Amino acid sequence: MATAMADPKVAALVATRSLNPHPEKVTDTVFLASRFCDARDVVQVKYEMVRRVRVDGVPVTQAARAFGYCRQAFYEVAAALDAGGPSALAAGKPGPKGPVKLTDPVMDQVEGWLAAAPGLRSRDLAARVLEVFGFPVHPRSVERALARRREARDPQEPIARP
């Protein structure tokens, strides 16, 4: 792997989460014959798979297999391409995409409690969340969520810790 990472293109593909984990599965002869095409670039592989079907008229099952995917994956890739262009073919940032516990409805309630009793501390708010919603949250998580909401409303407003 050390020699692969020495290749600047591999490093760039890793940095953009576009490195194909299985370039050996790409068997499309036209793709592999081109000096321009690189089986290590997953965005290019996906794009060319869709192009092969839509432009060259290759059956979906055949194209998907030749590019290392299943038929269902082809349709998912094609939908992503249609919705967001080639940039939608790169893997998204890993991890959660939003709050799991302190969602907008929960935070609306927390802000309501804080508006009614400004003296409440974050540990008091966390205790109320447990009592009302039935799940524990750390007081610091409540503080961070309140700060994010304040910042989203008015970035110039100073952040005060409850």
Side-chain angles (χ1 to χ4, degrees):
M1 186 71 175
T3 55
M5 288 307 288
D7 182 351
K9 179 159 186 185
V10 171
L13 291 171
V14 168
T16 59
R17 292 182 301 279
S18 299
L19 182 65
N20 188 352
H22 301 287
E24 71 281 357
K25 290 185 177 180
V26 179
T27 61
D28 185 81
T29 55
V30 175
F31 182 87
L32 294 174
S34 171
R35 288 183 28 201
F36 172 75
C37 296
D38 186 353
R40 298 174 301 175
D41 185 344
V42 74
V43 173
Q44 189 178 46
V45 168
K46 289 176 179 180
Y47 180 85
E48 288 297 319
M49 175 178 64
V50 174
R51 194 196 69 74
R52 186 80 71 240
V53 170
R54 292 182 176 172
V55 175
D56 297 343
V58 174
V60 170
T61 305
Q62 180 183 339
R65 189 177 313 116
F67 284 91
Y69 290 92
C70 65
R71 187 180 53 78
Q72 179 60 37
F74 168 84
Y75 291 113
E76 291 170 4
V77 168
L81 182 62
D82 292 342
S87 63
L89 301 179
K93 188 176 178 182
K97 305 300 181 245
V100 175
K101 293 181 179 180
L102 295 175
T103 59
D104 284 336
V106 174
M107 289 309 298
D108 289 343
Q109 182 64 53
V110 168
E111 285 185 331
W113 294 329
L114 203 51
L120 286 174
R121 296 181 312 232
S122 57
R123 77 176 123 201
D124 301 326
L125 295 168
R128 285 193 182 187
V129 168
L130 176 61
E131 180 182 315
V132 172
F133 294 101
F135 53 82
V137 293
H138 194 278
R140 183 66 184 121
S141 296
V142 173
E143 292 171 9
R144 287 193 308 266
L146 285 168
R148 279 191 302 271
R149 286 172 68 102
R150 283 188 199 114
E151 189 175 295
R153 279 194 297 269
D154 185 7
Q156 303 303 329
E157 182 182 324
I159 298 174
R161 292 181 77 163

